[in-house]
Amino acid sequence: MSAAQLFADRYGAQPEGVWRAPGRVNLIGEHTDYNDGFALPFAIAAGVCVAASARGDGILALTSRQQGAAVIEVPLGELTPGQPGGWAAYPAGVAWALLTAGHHVGGASLAIDADLAAGAGLASSAALECATGLALADLYQLAVPRTELAAIGRRAENDFAGAPTGLMDQLAVLLCQAGHALLLDCRSGAGVAVPLDAAAAGLALLIIDTRARHELTGGGYASRRRACEDAARALCVRALRDVAGASALDRLSEDVLRRRARHVVSENERVRQAAELLRTGRLDRIGALLTASHSSLRDDFEVSWPEADAAVEAALEAGALGARMTGAGFGGSVIALVPAVAVADVAAAVTDRFARRGWRSPGFGSAEPSAGAGRLS
Ligand code: GLA
Protein backbone atom coordinates (compact mmCIF):
# COMPACT_ATOMS: atom_id res chain seq x y z
CA MET A 1 0.00 0.00 0.00
CA SER A 2 1.31 3.45 -0.75
CA ALA A 3 -0.96 5.99 0.86
CA ALA A 4 2.08 8.29 1.25
CA GLN A 5 2.70 8.16 -2.51
CA LEU A 6 -0.95 8.95 -3.24
CA PHE A 7 -0.74 11.82 -0.76
CA ALA A 8 2.35 13.25 -2.49
CA ASP A 9 0.70 12.88 -5.92
CA ARG A 10 -2.52 14.61 -4.92
CA TYR A 11 -1.37 17.25 -2.45
CA GLY A 12 2.19 17.93 -3.69
CA ALA A 13 3.90 17.36 -0.31
CA GLN A 14 4.88 14.56 2.04
CA PRO A 15 2.29 13.65 4.70
CA GLU A 16 2.96 14.31 8.39
CA GLY A 17 2.29 10.65 9.09
CA VAL A 18 0.70 7.40 7.97
CA TRP A 19 -1.78 5.41 10.06
CA ARG A 20 -3.10 1.94 9.38
CA ALA A 21 -6.04 -0.11 10.60
CA PRO A 22 -6.63 -3.79 9.79
CA GLY A 23 -9.79 -5.56 8.75
CA ARG A 24 -11.18 -8.30 10.97
CA VAL A 25 -12.60 -11.77 10.71
CA ASN A 26 -15.22 -12.53 13.29
CA LEU A 27 -14.45 -16.10 14.32
CA ILE A 28 -17.85 -16.45 15.99
CA GLY A 29 -20.50 -14.24 17.63
CA GLU A 30 -22.52 -12.69 14.83
CA HIS A 31 -25.29 -10.12 15.35
CA THR A 32 -24.66 -10.34 19.07
CA ASP A 33 -22.90 -6.98 19.55
CA TYR A 34 -25.99 -4.77 19.38
CA ASN A 35 -27.70 -7.22 21.74
CA ASP A 36 -25.08 -6.50 24.41
CA GLY A 37 -23.67 -9.99 23.82
CA PHE A 38 -20.34 -11.64 23.06
CA ALA A 39 -18.14 -11.87 19.96
CA LEU A 40 -14.73 -13.34 19.17
CA PRO A 41 -13.10 -11.41 16.32
CA PHE A 42 -9.46 -11.21 15.28
CA ALA A 43 -7.62 -8.65 13.15
CA ILE A 44 -6.24 -9.76 9.77
CA ALA A 45 -3.22 -8.68 7.76
CA ALA A 46 -5.15 -6.72 5.12
CA GLY A 47 -6.25 -3.21 6.02
CA VAL A 48 -6.60 0.48 5.24
CA CYS A 49 -3.82 3.11 5.29
CA VAL A 50 -4.40 6.82 5.76
CA ALA A 51 -1.61 9.30 5.00
CA ALA A 52 -2.48 12.68 6.50
CA SER A 53 -1.40 16.23 7.33
CA ALA A 54 -3.11 18.97 9.26
CA ARG A 55 -4.12 22.09 7.33
CA GLY A 56 -4.92 25.56 8.57
CA ASP A 57 -7.93 26.44 6.41
CA GLY A 58 -10.56 24.32 8.18
CA ILE A 59 -11.07 22.09 5.15
CA LEU A 60 -11.22 18.31 5.16
CA ALA A 61 -9.72 17.00 1.91
CA LEU A 62 -10.19 13.33 1.04
CA THR A 63 -8.87 11.12 -1.71
CA SER A 64 -8.87 7.35 -2.09
CA ARG A 65 -6.90 5.23 -4.55
CA GLN A 66 -9.73 2.67 -4.69
CA GLN A 67 -12.39 5.33 -5.33
CA GLY A 68 -10.86 7.01 -8.34
CA ALA A 69 -8.45 9.31 -6.48
CA ALA A 70 -10.38 12.56 -7.14
CA VAL A 71 -10.01 14.99 -4.21
CA ILE A 72 -13.20 15.81 -2.29
CA GLU A 73 -13.02 19.01 -0.21
CA VAL A 74 -15.49 19.89 2.53
CA PRO A 75 -15.24 22.76 5.05
CA LEU A 76 -15.46 21.18 8.52
CA GLY A 77 -18.28 23.54 9.43
CA GLU A 78 -20.40 22.15 6.58
CA LEU A 79 -20.14 18.50 7.59
CA THR A 80 -23.59 17.16 8.19
CA PRO A 81 -24.98 13.60 8.15
CA GLY A 82 -25.22 12.40 4.55
CA GLN A 83 -23.00 15.23 3.26
CA PRO A 84 -20.61 14.09 1.86
CA GLY A 85 -22.16 10.70 1.09
CA GLY A 86 -20.79 7.47 -0.41
CA TRP A 87 -17.36 6.26 0.72
CA ALA A 88 -16.35 9.76 1.91
CA ALA A 89 -19.07 9.62 4.58
CA TYR A 90 -16.91 7.28 6.69
CA PRO A 91 -13.79 9.46 7.12
CA ALA A 92 -15.84 12.68 7.08
CA GLY A 93 -18.18 11.15 9.68
CA VAL A 94 -15.22 10.56 11.97
CA ALA A 95 -14.19 14.23 11.82
CA TRP A 96 -17.82 15.18 12.45
CA ALA A 97 -18.17 12.75 15.38
CA LEU A 98 -14.95 14.02 16.97
CA LEU A 99 -16.18 17.62 16.63
CA THR A 100 -19.63 16.80 18.02
CA ALA A 101 -17.98 15.05 20.98
CA GLY A 102 -16.20 18.35 21.75
CA HIS A 103 -12.72 17.55 20.41
CA HIS A 104 -10.80 20.36 18.75
CA VAL A 105 -10.13 19.03 15.26
CA GLY A 106 -9.01 21.38 12.49
CA GLY A 107 -8.65 20.85 8.76
CA ALA A 108 -6.73 17.92 7.32
CA SER A 109 -5.73 16.38 4.02
CA LEU A 110 -6.13 12.61 3.85
CA ALA A 111 -5.02 10.08 1.24
CA ILE A 112 -6.45 6.58 1.61
CA ASP A 113 -5.15 3.31 0.19
CA ALA A 114 -6.42 -0.15 1.07
CA ASP A 115 -5.65 -3.79 0.38
CA LEU A 116 -8.92 -4.79 2.05
CA ALA A 117 -11.96 -5.29 -0.17
CA ALA A 118 -15.03 -3.20 0.69
CA GLY A 119 -18.32 -5.04 1.30
CA ALA A 120 -16.54 -8.38 1.85
CA GLY A 121 -17.67 -8.79 5.47
CA LEU A 122 -14.19 -7.94 6.76
CA ALA A 123 -14.98 -4.57 8.38
CA SER A 124 -13.48 -2.29 5.74
CA SER A 125 -15.63 0.62 6.93
CA ALA A 126 -14.47 0.24 10.55
CA ALA A 127 -10.86 0.05 9.33
CA LEU A 128 -11.33 3.30 7.39
CA GLU A 129 -13.00 4.99 10.36
CA CYS A 130 -10.38 3.88 12.87
CA ALA A 131 -7.35 4.75 10.71
CA THR A 132 -8.91 8.18 10.14
CA GLY A 133 -9.68 8.57 13.85
CA LEU A 134 -6.12 7.74 14.87
CA ALA A 135 -4.75 10.13 12.25
CA LEU A 136 -6.93 13.08 13.32
CA ALA A 137 -6.32 12.38 17.02
CA ASP A 138 -2.53 12.39 16.48
CA LEU A 139 -2.49 15.40 14.16
CA TYR A 140 -4.42 17.46 16.72
CA GLN A 141 -2.91 15.85 19.82
CA LEU A 142 -6.25 14.70 21.16
CA ALA A 143 -6.10 12.34 24.10
CA VAL A 144 -8.82 9.96 22.97
CA PRO A 145 -8.65 6.47 24.53
CA ARG A 146 -9.09 3.66 22.02
CA THR A 147 -12.46 2.58 23.41
CA GLU A 148 -13.72 6.15 22.92
CA LEU A 149 -12.26 6.22 19.43
CA ALA A 150 -14.20 3.03 18.69
CA ALA A 151 -17.40 4.77 19.80
CA ILE A 152 -16.52 7.76 17.59
CA GLY A 153 -16.12 5.40 14.62
CA ARG A 154 -19.46 3.80 15.35
CA ARG A 155 -21.11 7.20 15.62
CA ALA A 156 -19.70 8.10 12.18
CA GLU A 157 -21.14 4.92 10.75
CA ASN A 158 -24.54 5.09 12.52
CA ASP A 159 -25.33 8.78 12.48
CA PHE A 160 -23.34 10.12 9.52
CA ALA A 161 -23.16 7.25 7.01
CA GLY A 162 -26.52 5.81 8.09
CA ALA A 163 -25.59 2.17 8.82
CA PRO A 164 -27.08 1.14 12.21
CA THR A 165 -24.19 -1.20 13.13
CA GLY A 166 -22.89 -2.26 16.55
CA LEU A 167 -19.47 -1.67 18.09
CA MET A 168 -17.72 -4.99 17.47
CA ASP A 169 -15.80 -4.02 14.34
CA GLN A 170 -14.31 -0.81 15.70
CA LEU A 171 -13.30 -2.49 18.97
CA ALA A 172 -11.74 -5.38 17.04
CA VAL A 173 -9.81 -3.12 14.72
CA LEU A 174 -8.45 -0.98 17.56
CA LEU A 175 -7.89 -3.56 20.32
CA CYS A 176 -6.87 -6.85 18.67
CA GLN A 177 -3.36 -8.24 19.16
CA ALA A 178 -1.25 -10.40 16.86
CA GLY A 179 -1.64 -14.13 17.49
CA HIS A 180 -4.87 -13.63 19.40
CA ALA A 181 -8.60 -13.35 19.03
CA LEU A 182 -10.46 -10.87 21.23
CA LEU A 183 -13.29 -12.08 23.45
CA LEU A 184 -15.54 -9.02 23.53
CA ASP A 185 -18.22 -8.34 26.06
CA CYS A 186 -20.24 -5.88 24.01
CA ARG A 187 -22.16 -4.58 27.03
CA SER A 188 -19.11 -3.37 28.93
CA GLY A 189 -16.88 -2.94 25.87
CA ALA A 190 -14.21 -5.02 27.64
CA GLY A 191 -12.04 -7.30 25.54
CA VAL A 192 -9.83 -10.20 26.64
CA ALA A 193 -7.12 -11.50 24.30
CA VAL A 194 -7.38 -15.25 23.70
CA PRO A 195 -4.50 -17.11 21.97
CA LEU A 196 -5.31 -18.19 18.41
CA ASP A 197 -2.53 -20.11 16.69
CA ALA A 198 -3.96 -22.32 13.97
CA ALA A 199 -0.59 -23.32 12.49
CA ALA A 200 0.62 -24.70 15.83
CA ALA A 201 -2.42 -27.00 15.83
CA GLY A 202 -1.76 -28.15 12.25
CA LEU A 203 -4.73 -26.11 11.08
CA ALA A 204 -5.42 -23.10 8.88
CA LEU A 205 -8.11 -20.42 8.96
CA LEU A 206 -9.15 -19.94 5.37
CA ILE A 207 -11.04 -16.82 4.27
CA ILE A 208 -13.29 -17.53 1.30
CA ASP A 209 -14.44 -14.35 -0.44
CA THR A 210 -17.72 -15.33 -2.09
CA ARG A 211 -17.53 -12.17 -4.27
CA ALA A 212 -21.14 -11.30 -3.38
CA ARG A 213 -21.00 -7.79 -1.91
CA HIS A 214 -23.13 -6.34 0.87
CA GLU A 215 -24.32 -2.84 1.83
CA LEU A 216 -25.22 -2.25 5.46
CA THR A 217 -27.19 0.89 4.76
CA GLY A 218 -29.80 -1.34 3.08
CA GLY A 219 -32.84 -2.43 5.10
CA GLY A 220 -31.85 -6.01 6.04
CA TYR A 221 -29.41 -5.19 8.83
CA ALA A 222 -31.71 -2.55 10.35
CA SER A 223 -34.71 -4.90 10.29
CA ARG A 224 -32.77 -7.67 12.09
CA ARG A 225 -31.73 -5.16 14.68
CA ARG A 226 -35.30 -3.98 15.14
CA ALA A 227 -36.55 -7.56 15.53
CA CYS A 228 -34.01 -8.15 18.31
CA GLU A 229 -35.12 -5.00 20.11
CA ASP A 230 -38.79 -5.99 19.73
CA ALA A 231 -38.03 -9.47 21.12
CA ALA A 232 -36.15 -8.02 24.11
CA ARG A 233 -39.05 -5.69 24.83
CA ALA A 234 -41.59 -8.52 24.60
CA LEU A 235 -39.47 -10.58 27.02
CA CYS A 236 -39.06 -7.61 29.40
CA VAL A 237 -35.24 -7.76 29.34
CA ARG A 238 -32.83 -4.90 28.71
CA ALA A 239 -31.23 -6.76 25.78
CA LEU A 240 -31.30 -10.31 24.40
CA ARG A 241 -28.05 -10.96 26.28
CA ASP A 242 -30.18 -11.08 29.42
CA VAL A 243 -32.42 -13.95 28.28
CA ALA A 244 -31.79 -16.79 30.73
CA GLY A 245 -31.97 -19.68 28.25
CA ALA A 246 -33.62 -20.88 25.05
CA SER A 247 -36.74 -22.06 26.91
CA ALA A 248 -37.55 -18.45 27.87
CA LEU A 249 -38.12 -17.77 24.17
CA ASP A 250 -41.30 -19.86 24.15
CA ARG A 251 -42.99 -16.75 25.49
CA LEU A 252 -42.52 -15.09 22.10
CA SER A 253 -45.66 -15.82 20.14
CA GLU A 254 -44.38 -14.51 16.81
CA ASP A 255 -42.35 -17.12 14.93
CA VAL A 256 -39.96 -14.67 13.23
CA LEU A 257 -39.13 -12.88 16.49
CA ARG A 258 -38.62 -16.21 18.25
CA ARG A 259 -36.16 -17.39 15.57
CA ARG A 260 -34.22 -14.11 15.52
CA ALA A 261 -33.91 -14.20 19.32
CA ARG A 262 -33.02 -17.90 19.32
CA HIS A 263 -30.07 -17.14 17.07
CA VAL A 264 -28.75 -14.46 19.42
CA VAL A 265 -29.21 -16.50 22.58
CA SER A 266 -27.63 -19.64 21.11
CA GLU A 267 -24.82 -17.65 19.46
CA ASN A 268 -23.80 -16.07 22.77
CA GLU A 269 -23.50 -19.56 24.23
CA ARG A 270 -21.41 -20.73 21.26
CA VAL A 271 -19.04 -17.78 21.70
CA ARG A 272 -18.50 -18.67 25.36
CA GLN A 273 -17.80 -22.28 24.47
CA ALA A 274 -15.45 -21.37 21.60
CA ALA A 275 -13.47 -18.95 23.79
CA GLU A 276 -13.11 -21.62 26.45
CA LEU A 277 -11.84 -24.13 23.88
CA LEU A 278 -9.32 -21.59 22.58
CA ARG A 279 -8.18 -20.76 26.09
CA THR A 280 -7.51 -24.42 26.80
CA GLY A 281 -5.66 -25.04 23.53
CA ARG A 282 -8.40 -27.05 21.82
CA LEU A 283 -8.87 -25.04 18.63
CA ASP A 284 -9.54 -28.26 16.70
CA ARG A 285 -12.77 -28.67 18.70
CA ILE A 286 -14.46 -25.41 17.65
CA GLY A 287 -15.41 -26.63 14.17
CA ALA A 288 -18.87 -27.83 15.16
CA LEU A 289 -19.59 -24.49 16.85
CA LEU A 290 -18.65 -22.59 13.68
CA THR A 291 -20.91 -24.73 11.54
CA ALA A 292 -23.78 -24.48 14.05
CA SER A 293 -23.37 -20.70 13.98
CA HIS A 294 -23.72 -20.74 10.21
CA SER A 295 -26.88 -22.86 10.32
CA SER A 296 -28.37 -20.51 12.89
CA LEU A 297 -27.55 -17.44 10.77
CA ARG A 298 -28.99 -19.18 7.69
CA ASP A 299 -32.17 -20.63 9.19
CA ASP A 300 -33.07 -18.49 12.21
CA PHE A 301 -31.51 -15.11 11.50
CA GLU A 302 -31.78 -15.41 7.70
CA VAL A 303 -28.77 -13.29 6.77
CA SER A 304 -26.82 -15.89 4.84
CA TRP A 305 -26.69 -15.89 1.04
CA PRO A 306 -26.52 -18.70 -1.55
CA GLU A 307 -22.77 -18.42 -2.23
CA ALA A 308 -22.00 -18.61 1.49
CA ASP A 309 -24.19 -21.68 1.99
CA ALA A 310 -22.55 -23.39 -0.98
CA ALA A 311 -19.04 -22.49 0.23
CA VAL A 312 -19.73 -23.83 3.73
CA GLU A 313 -21.21 -27.05 2.34
CA ALA A 314 -18.38 -27.67 -0.14
CA ALA A 315 -15.69 -26.84 2.46
CA LEU A 316 -17.17 -29.30 4.97
CA GLU A 317 -17.45 -32.04 2.36
CA ALA A 318 -13.79 -31.52 1.43
CA GLY A 319 -12.54 -31.89 5.01
CA ALA A 320 -13.00 -28.53 6.80
CA LEU A 321 -13.64 -29.00 10.53
CA GLY A 322 -16.13 -26.17 10.50
CA ALA A 323 -17.16 -23.16 8.42
CA ARG A 324 -19.44 -20.16 8.66
CA MET A 325 -20.28 -16.82 7.10
CA THR A 326 -18.47 -13.99 8.88
CA GLY A 327 -19.67 -10.41 9.34
CA ALA A 328 -23.15 -9.01 8.87
CA GLY A 329 -24.21 -11.31 6.02
CA PHE A 330 -26.18 -10.53 2.84
CA GLY A 331 -22.86 -11.03 0.99
CA GLY A 332 -19.17 -11.11 1.90
CA SER A 333 -16.90 -13.86 3.18
CA VAL A 334 -16.86 -17.30 4.79
CA ILE A 335 -14.26 -18.45 7.32
CA ALA A 336 -13.31 -22.14 7.38
CA LEU A 337 -11.20 -24.03 9.90
CA VAL A 338 -9.24 -26.51 7.84
CA PRO A 339 -6.49 -29.07 8.55
CA ALA A 340 -3.36 -27.53 6.94
CA VAL A 341 -3.00 -30.56 4.67
CA ALA A 342 -6.55 -30.12 3.31
CA VAL A 343 -6.41 -26.42 2.38
CA ALA A 344 -5.80 -27.05 -1.33
CA ASP A 345 -8.60 -29.65 -1.48
CA VAL A 346 -11.06 -27.32 0.24
CA ALA A 347 -10.20 -24.42 -2.07
CA ALA A 348 -10.56 -26.67 -5.12
CA ALA A 349 -13.91 -28.04 -3.91
CA VAL A 350 -15.35 -24.57 -3.28
CA THR A 351 -14.05 -23.28 -6.63
CA ASP A 352 -15.58 -26.27 -8.38
CA ARG A 353 -18.95 -25.77 -6.63
CA PHE A 354 -19.03 -22.11 -7.70
CA ALA A 355 -18.14 -23.00 -11.30
CA ARG A 356 -20.99 -25.54 -11.44
CA ARG A 357 -23.43 -22.90 -10.26
CA GLY A 358 -22.11 -20.43 -12.85
CA TRP A 359 -20.81 -18.01 -10.18
CA ARG A 360 -17.68 -15.91 -10.34
CA SER A 361 -14.64 -17.73 -8.94
CA PRO A 362 -14.24 -17.21 -5.16
CA GLY A 363 -11.11 -15.68 -3.61
CA PHE A 364 -9.01 -17.38 -0.93
CA GLY A 365 -6.72 -15.97 1.71
CA SER A 366 -5.21 -17.27 4.88
CA ALA A 367 -6.38 -15.40 7.97
CA GLU A 368 -3.44 -14.71 10.29
CA PRO A 369 -4.46 -13.10 13.60
CA SER A 370 -2.68 -9.75 13.26
CA ALA A 371 -2.03 -6.57 15.23
CA GLY A 372 -4.62 -3.85 15.72
CA ALA A 373 -4.47 -0.32 14.31
CA GLY A 374 -1.53 2.03 14.80
CA ARG A 375 0.78 4.67 13.37
CA LEU A 376 3.19 3.48 10.68
CA SER A 377 5.35 6.57 10.29
C1 GLA B 1 -21.35 -5.75 10.99
C2 GLA B 1 -21.51 -4.67 12.06
C3 GLA B 1 -21.18 -5.22 13.44
C4 GLA B 1 -21.91 -6.53 13.73
C5 GLA B 1 -21.78 -7.48 12.56
C6 GLA B 1 -22.63 -8.72 12.73
O1 GLA B 1 -20.03 -6.11 10.85
O2 GLA B 1 -20.66 -3.58 11.79
O3 GLA B 1 -21.48 -4.25 14.40
O4 GLA B 1 -23.25 -6.30 14.07
O5 GLA B 1 -22.14 -6.88 11.34
O6 GLA B 1 -22.14 -9.49 13.77
mmCIF file of all heavy atoms in Angstrom, residues 24 29-31 33-34 165-169 216 221 327-328, ligand 1:
data_model
loop_
_atom_site.group_PDB
_atom_site.id
_atom_site.type_symbol
_atom_site.label_atom_id
_atom_site.label_comp_id
_atom_site.label_asym_id
_atom_site.label_seq_id
_atom_site.Cartn_x
_atom_site.Cartn_y
_atom_site.Cartn_z
ATOM 1 N N ARG A 24 -11.034 -7.219 9.982
ATOM 2 C CA ARG A 24 -11.177 -8.301 10.967
ATOM 3 C C ARG A 24 -11.983 -9.452 10.387
ATOM 4 O O ARG A 24 -12.793 -9.277 9.484
ATOM 5 C CB ARG A 24 -11.834 -7.809 12.262
ATOM 6 C CG ARG A 24 -13.272 -7.302 12.132
ATOM 7 C CD ARG A 24 -14.335 -8.331 12.480
ATOM 8 N NE ARG A 24 -15.652 -7.882 12.085
ATOM 9 C CZ ARG A 24 -16.225 -8.166 10.927
ATOM 10 N NH1 ARG A 24 -15.597 -8.885 10.023
ATOM 11 N NH2 ARG A 24 -17.439 -7.730 10.639
ATOM 12 N N GLY A 29 -19.797 -15.264 16.850
ATOM 13 C CA GLY A 29 -20.496 -14.238 17.628
ATOM 14 C C GLY A 29 -21.055 -13.178 16.697
ATOM 15 O O GLY A 29 -20.673 -12.021 16.754
ATOM 16 N N GLU A 30 -22.013 -13.602 15.847
ATOM 17 C CA GLU A 30 -22.524 -12.687 14.825
ATOM 18 C C GLU A 30 -23.890 -12.131 15.213
ATOM 19 O O GLU A 30 -24.757 -12.875 15.696
ATOM 20 C CB GLU A 30 -22.628 -13.468 13.512
ATOM 21 C CG GLU A 30 -22.154 -12.708 12.319
ATOM 22 C CD GLU A 30 -20.666 -12.385 12.369
ATOM 23 O OE1 GLU A 30 -19.858 -13.229 11.985
ATOM 24 O OE2 GLU A 30 -20.337 -11.259 12.791
ATOM 25 N N HIS A 31 -24.053 -10.827 14.997
ATOM 26 C CA HIS A 31 -25.288 -10.116 15.345
ATOM 27 C C HIS A 31 -25.575 -10.219 16.848
ATOM 28 O O HIS A 31 -26.734 -10.197 17.266
ATOM 29 C CB HIS A 31 -26.479 -10.615 14.504
ATOM 30 C CG HIS A 31 -26.370 -10.182 13.074
ATOM 31 N ND1 HIS A 31 -26.804 -8.968 12.623
ATOM 32 C CD2 HIS A 31 -25.805 -10.797 11.996
ATOM 33 C CE1 HIS A 31 -26.544 -8.850 11.331
ATOM 34 N NE2 HIS A 31 -25.931 -9.948 10.926
ATOM 35 N N ASP A 33 -23.457 -8.206 18.925
ATOM 36 C CA ASP A 33 -22.903 -6.985 19.550
ATOM 37 C C ASP A 33 -23.984 -5.967 19.934
ATOM 38 O O ASP A 33 -23.974 -5.429 21.033
ATOM 39 C CB ASP A 33 -21.772 -6.353 18.711
ATOM 40 C CG ASP A 33 -22.165 -5.874 17.334
ATOM 41 O OD1 ASP A 33 -23.274 -6.225 16.851
ATOM 42 O OD2 ASP A 33 -21.362 -5.148 16.715
ATOM 43 N N TYR A 34 -24.960 -5.749 19.035
ATOM 44 C CA TYR A 34 -25.994 -4.765 19.378
ATOM 45 C C TYR A 34 -27.065 -5.366 20.290
ATOM 46 O O TYR A 34 -28.056 -4.717 20.604
ATOM 47 C CB TYR A 34 -26.609 -4.148 18.110
ATOM 48 C CG TYR A 34 -27.124 -5.140 17.111
ATOM 49 C CD1 TYR A 34 -28.373 -5.712 17.251
ATOM 50 C CD2 TYR A 34 -26.346 -5.507 16.004
ATOM 51 C CE1 TYR A 34 -28.846 -6.624 16.327
ATOM 52 C CE2 TYR A 34 -26.804 -6.428 15.078
ATOM 53 C CZ TYR A 34 -28.053 -6.980 15.247
ATOM 54 O OH TYR A 34 -28.520 -7.894 14.331
ATOM 55 N N THR A 165 -25.005 -0.068 12.670
ATOM 56 C CA THR A 165 -24.192 -1.201 13.130
ATOM 57 C C THR A 165 -23.851 -1.109 14.612
ATOM 58 O O THR A 165 -23.998 -0.062 15.242
ATOM 59 C CB THR A 165 -22.894 -1.224 12.322
ATOM 60 O OG1 THR A 165 -22.350 0.096 12.352
ATOM 61 C CG2 THR A 165 -23.143 -1.603 10.880
ATOM 62 N N GLY A 166 -23.337 -2.218 15.157
ATOM 63 C CA GLY A 166 -22.887 -2.259 16.546
ATOM 64 C C GLY A 166 -21.430 -1.828 16.660
ATOM 65 O O GLY A 166 -20.875 -1.213 15.743
ATOM 66 N N LEU A 167 -20.807 -2.190 17.781
ATOM 67 C CA LEU A 167 -19.468 -1.671 18.090
ATOM 68 C C LEU A 167 -18.353 -2.704 17.890
ATOM 69 O O LEU A 167 -17.174 -2.392 18.020
ATOM 70 C CB LEU A 167 -19.478 -1.188 19.553
ATOM 71 C CG LEU A 167 -18.313 -0.364 20.074
ATOM 72 C CD1 LEU A 167 -18.107 0.897 19.242
ATOM 73 C CD2 LEU A 167 -18.521 0.005 21.542
ATOM 74 N N MET A 168 -18.733 -3.935 17.544
ATOM 75 C CA MET A 168 -17.717 -4.987 17.470
ATOM 76 C C MET A 168 -16.549 -4.650 16.540
ATOM 77 O O MET A 168 -15.381 -4.826 16.902
ATOM 78 C CB MET A 168 -18.338 -6.300 16.978
ATOM 79 C CG MET A 168 -17.255 -7.306 16.595
ATOM 80 S SD MET A 168 -17.835 -8.860 15.982
ATOM 81 C CE MET A 168 -18.760 -8.468 14.546
ATOM 82 N N ASP A 169 -16.858 -4.182 15.339
ATOM 83 C CA ASP A 169 -15.803 -4.024 14.342
ATOM 84 C C ASP A 169 -14.774 -2.994 14.783
ATOM 85 O O ASP A 169 -13.568 -3.206 14.656
ATOM 86 C CB ASP A 169 -16.401 -3.611 12.993
ATOM 87 C CG ASP A 169 -17.294 -4.703 12.425
ATOM 88 O OD1 ASP A 169 -17.240 -5.834 12.938
ATOM 89 O OD2 ASP A 169 -18.039 -4.408 11.490
ATOM 90 N N LEU A 216 -24.505 -2.211 4.182
ATOM 91 C CA LEU A 216 -25.216 -2.254 5.464
ATOM 92 C C LEU A 216 -26.180 -1.091 5.654
ATOM 93 O O LEU A 216 -26.872 -1.002 6.664
ATOM 94 C CB LEU A 216 -24.217 -2.323 6.617
ATOM 95 C CG LEU A 216 -23.343 -3.573 6.566
ATOM 96 C CD1 LEU A 216 -22.507 -3.690 7.813
ATOM 97 C CD2 LEU A 216 -24.175 -4.820 6.367
ATOM 98 N N TYR A 221 -30.106 -5.273 7.533
ATOM 99 C CA TYR A 221 -29.411 -5.189 8.827
ATOM 100 C C TYR A 221 -30.303 -4.475 9.851
ATOM 101 O O TYR A 221 -30.487 -4.941 10.969
ATOM 102 C CB TYR A 221 -28.086 -4.439 8.644
ATOM 103 C CG TYR A 221 -27.212 -4.441 9.871
ATOM 104 C CD1 TYR A 221 -26.196 -5.382 10.019
ATOM 105 C CD2 TYR A 221 -27.394 -3.507 10.897
ATOM 106 C CE1 TYR A 221 -25.381 -5.393 11.149
ATOM 107 C CE2 TYR A 221 -26.600 -3.512 12.018
ATOM 108 C CZ TYR A 221 -25.593 -4.452 12.141
ATOM 109 O OH TYR A 221 -24.802 -4.462 13.261
ATOM 110 N N GLY A 327 -19.208 -11.776 9.572
ATOM 111 C CA GLY A 327 -19.672 -10.409 9.340
ATOM 112 C C GLY A 327 -21.196 -10.353 9.321
ATOM 113 O O GLY A 327 -21.871 -11.290 9.759
ATOM 114 N N ALA A 328 -21.716 -9.266 8.788
ATOM 115 C CA ALA A 328 -23.145 -9.005 8.869
ATOM 116 C C ALA A 328 -23.993 -9.966 8.040
ATOM 117 O O ALA A 328 -25.145 -10.236 8.352
ATOM 118 C CB ALA A 328 -23.427 -7.583 8.407
HETATM 119 C C1 GLA B 1 -21.351 -5.746 10.991
HETATM 120 C C2 GLA B 1 -21.510 -4.672 12.057
HETATM 121 C C3 GLA B 1 -21.176 -5.216 13.441
HETATM 122 C C4 GLA B 1 -21.911 -6.526 13.728
HETATM 123 C C5 GLA B 1 -21.784 -7.481 12.555
HETATM 124 C C6 GLA B 1 -22.628 -8.722 12.734
HETATM 125 O O1 GLA B 1 -20.027 -6.112 10.854
HETATM 126 O O2 GLA B 1 -20.663 -3.580 11.791
HETATM 127 O O3 GLA B 1 -21.482 -4.247 14.399
HETATM 128 O O4 GLA B 1 -23.245 -6.301 14.066
HETATM 129 O O5 GLA B 1 -22.136 -6.881 11.339
HETATM 130 O O6 GLA B 1 -22.135 -9.489 13.773
#
